[in-house]
Amino acid sequence: MIRKDMYIDGKWRPARSGRQREIINPYDGSVIAQVAEGAREDAVDAICAARRAFDTGPWPQTPAVERARLLFRLADLVERENSDLARLESLDTGKTVTESRWDMDDIAGIFRYFAGLADKNAGEQIASPNPDTTSRLVHEPVGVCGQISPWNYPLLQASWKMAPALAAGCTIVMKPSEITPLTTIRITELAEEAGFPPGVVNTVLGPGIDVGAELAENHAVDLISFTGGIATGKTIMRAAAGNVKKVALELGGKNPNIIFDDADFDLAVDYALNGVFFHAGQICSAGARVMVQAGIYERFVEALKARIQKIVLGSGFTDGVQMGPLISADHLAKVERYVAIAQKEGASLVLGGKRPDDPALKNGFFYLPTLFTDCTNDMRIVQEEVFGPVISVETFATESEVVERANSTIYGLSAGFWTRDPDRMARVSRALRFGTVWINDFNVYFVQAPWGGYRQSGLGRELGRMGLEEYTEVKHVYQNHATQPINWFGI
Ligand code: NAD
């Protein structure tokens, strides 16, 4: 049974308005749940609860080792529920259940990692320039954190925020995407079972322009952490200026995957496909911009074509299915618009470019894996995030040319390149200005390594030690052990 309420101050409750929203299965358009549709007033209730829990509740006095114990317990519960959580995530997003299981494994690991860091962030003594004094740095929780997550990796993205915030000692108000709230609701139940005190973990449901905007604007919120699109990120940044709250942004990407002619050809083809068609291309780090050196361009396109034609679409719960649907009818329409723009701008459509003919898929939001060639740097399909199963292939002549072109984007989340030349590995990894650079691999991330973007791909870093630091303030405590009179004024 899927719970439908919001969780505020340790209690489950409907929206004050009583409104509800239908949650749709993208595979066939059926309704899988009805959940509370909150509004600003519900967000305010949750913020007040988190504020009380931070200012006067037991949480600030809870020792770091106890916070760690609760997070370890939550990791165990995620592991216990792995199959059910994965099933729920696939129902809600359409992705294959195998991918969802990998997500759940990662999520348990994320809670363990930050549980392990919770009691290792006590601060340090620094050198004071004055005799008979001590100076120490103390890491303290930022306070009340609003956490807004997207629909593509609903629980994974929520966990990237939830785990470090709780490890640092903050209280949180989570807001999942209104179209994929189910696993965030479920992990809130697990947090309750793990024993987090009332008000420490709150989950509000509802639309971004209402509930999300309240989290970004409200002066009782100390930090807003957001993962989603660039336009929303900019709105949130402006809203956060009202009380100069801290802002952490994980925005989109248009990630180049560069294939030099000395690369291991077959591996590069294999990873180019994985780089973009995973979760139907709805990944911020999708390698949708493939750049192939001139000498191997034709052969590379042929190899991509041969394998793309064999991609199996269908239900994420069916064995052998490799790609599910897009998330929604609106998103499908956006991908269709980009494909039309690419054709108008002169890119050559080699494969796909339409919905599948299979009548079994007609009620879902499916789109065929799509391949464009003859793409150039100025095309919107090359510069903008499509967030769908669409590859654009460009060719290049030299290393310096491709680096310059790869960097000429407003995004800077991730990039990958393929070569066997160790000197080139050093040169190109230094020259590419992206938050993550993969050499002879693509789309790898893990909790120990920080994740975030250069340029307009974001602000700050999630995961790794830096992920915990986002949720802490640093206090300098200076103590004079032998205070002497100054005798300056009025003597
Ligand atoms: P989105 O920006 O439409 O929505 C994201 C979240 O913001 C949702 O919860 C939504 O309700 C909320 N929201 C919308 N308007 C708001 C407002 N005015 N104020 C406050 N909150 C608001 O993004 P999406 O379509 O859900 O997700 C796709 C985007 O997320 C893509 O651009 C993708 O690249 C990005 N993304 C980035 C990363 C990363 O790590 N950098 C990871 C996953 C997704």
Side-chain angles (χ1 to χ4, degrees):
M1 176 63 186
I2 299 169
R3 210 190 259 272
K4 60 182 183 184
D5 288 344
M6 297 184 277
Y7 187 67
I8 298 173
D9 210 8
K11 293 181 203 71
W12 292 93
R13 49 156 261 205
R16 276 179 184 259
S17 68
R19 288 182 57 212
Q20 296 200 341
R21 168 188 288 264
E22 290 182 341
I23 303 302
I24 306 295
N25 181 347
Y27 167 65
D28 59 6
S30 61
V31 176
I32 44 176
Q34 298 258 5
V35 304
E37 177 80 331
R40 280 184 184 262
E41 54 198 4
D42 303 291
V44 169
D45 290 344
I47 292 164
C48 291
R51 191 74 262 167
R52 279 194 303 276
F54 188 79
D55 292 338
T56 55
W59 193 237
Q61 276 75 48
T62 304
V65 284
E66 173 61 9
R67 295 202 299 271
R69 195 189 66 77
L70 291 171
L71 285 165
F72 278 124
R73 170 105 181 96
L74 186 52
D76 290 344
L77 295 176
V78 169
E79 210 158 70
R80 185 190 77 190
E81 301 292 313
N82 180 304
S83 294
D84 283 354
L85 281 167
R87 206 185 125 267
L88 208 52
E89 197 77 306
S90 285
L91 262 182
D92 211 353
T93 62
K95 73 169 78 169
T96 65
V97 77
T98 310
E99 287 175 67
S100 292
R101 279 201 202 97
W102 293 333
D103 290 355
M104 298 313 143
D105 291 343
D106 281 350
I107 290 164
I110 286 161
F111 282 105
R112 293 215 167 89
Y113 176 83
F114 284 107
L117 279 186
D119 61 355
K120 296 167 194 68
N121 197 33
E124 59 179 310
Q125 184 105 1
I126 58 168
S128 165
N130 306 319
D132 297 322
T133 64
T134 48
S135 245
R136 63 199 164 88
L137 301 185
V138 188
H139 297 264
E140 295 186 339
V142 169
V144 173
C145 302
Q147 305 190 321
I148 303 175
S149 40
W151 47 256
N152 62 334
Y153 281 83
L155 190 53
L156 192 71
Q157 296 297 329
S159 307
W160 285 20
K161 302 181 188 306
M162 188 182 182
L166 295 172
C170 296
T171 58
I172 61 174
V173 180
M174 294 194 282
K175 193 208 91 65
S177 166
E178 56 274 33
I179 55 177
T180 55
L182 301 183
T183 47
T184 306
I185 298 175
R186 183 70 189 118
I187 204 165
T188 309
E189 291 179 320
L190 297 179
E192 183 183 30
E193 184 179 339
F196 286 91
V200 172
V201 175
N202 304 276
T203 298
V204 281
L205 307 173
I209 43 157
D210 218 355
V211 176
E214 184 62 41
L215 292 177
E217 289 166 23
N218 194 298
H219 288 206
V221 175
D222 301 299
L223 178 152
I224 185 83
S225 175
F226 167 79
T227 301
I230 278 194
T232 318
K234 288 180 181 174
T235 305
I236 285 175
M237 227 173 151
R238 280 190 290 270
N243 68 328
V244 197
K245 58 172 68 68
K246 285 173 176 283
V247 181
L249 300 175
E250 294 288 343
L251 307 178
K254 187 74 191 189
N255 313 282
N257 184 10
I258 303 166
I259 325 292
F260 288 101
D261 59 10
D262 68 329
D264 183 316
F265 185 89
D266 292 337
L267 279 179
V269 171
D270 193 34
Y271 278 67
L273 294 163
N274 258 47
V276 66
F277 293 124
F278 227 53
H279 193 17
Q282 302 166 113
I283 304 186
C284 53
S285 56
R289 180 181 189 184
V290 176
M291 308 174 88
V292 187
Q293 201 155 16
I296 57 166
Y297 177 76
E298 302 293 341
R299 201 174 132 225
F300 201 88
V301 168
E302 283 310 309
L304 285 178
K305 205 170 135 186
R307 285 188 56 177
I308 291 172
Q309 284 167 320
K310 294 190 205 150
I311 294 176
V312 181
L313 272 64
S315 160
F317 292 95
T318 305
D319 280 349
V321 163
Q322 294 159 334
M323 212 176 90
L326 297 173
I327 192 70
S328 65
D330 282 352
H331 191 54
L332 175 64
K334 177 186 160 187
V335 172
E336 285 174 330
R337 277 197 300 279
Y338 267 112
V339 167
I341 291 167
Q343 286 176 288
K344 206 166 152 216
E345 290 188 339
S348 307
L349 178 66
V350 178
L351 281 178
K354 60 182 176 97
R355 307 190 59 189
D357 297 326
D358 184 350
L361 306 181
K362 76 171 189 333
N363 292 331
F365 312 125
F366 285 91
Y367 200 76
L368 283 176
T370 296
L371 174 63
F372 277 108
T373 56
D374 303 321
C375 297
T376 53
N377 201 39
D378 52 335
M379 289 179 180
R380 288 182 63 189
I381 193 94
V382 168
Q383 291 293 336
E384 298 177 21
E385 187 184 46
V386 179
F387 226 55
V390 180
I391 300 190
S392 67
V393 192
E394 295 158 70
T395 187
F396 66 91
T398 65
E399 183 184 304
S400 57
E401 174 202 340
V402 77
V403 165
E404 190 192 329
R405 261 167 48 196
N407 281 335
S408 67
T409 153
I410 61 163
Y411 292 106
L413 189 60
S414 61
F417 64 96
W418 295 79
T419 180
R420 288 188 171 100
D421 177 349
D423 292 337
R424 175 176 279 156
M425 291 177 194
R427 277 193 311 271
V428 176
S429 60
R430 199 167 47 236
L432 287 171
R433 294 190 47 77
F434 293 82
T436 296
V437 173
W438 296 294
I439 306 173
N440 295 334
D441 214 316
F442 211 90
N443 256 343
V444 193
Y445 74 90
F446 40 87
V447 65
Q448 291 80 3
W451 179 259
Y454 282 30
R455 294 184 283 264
Q456 295 186 35
S457 282
L459 209 57
R461 292 291 180 273
E462 293 194 296
L463 304 183
R465 280 192 168 272
M466 295 176 78
L468 184 67
E469 284 161 16
E470 290 273 348
Y471 289 97
T472 58
E473 291 275 19
V474 177
K475 182 183 281 173
H476 173 210
V477 180
Y478 176 84
Q479 184 174 356
N480 194 332
H481 303 278
T483 315
Q484 301 298 319
I486 299 176
N487 288 336
W488 174 268
F489 287 108
I491 292 287

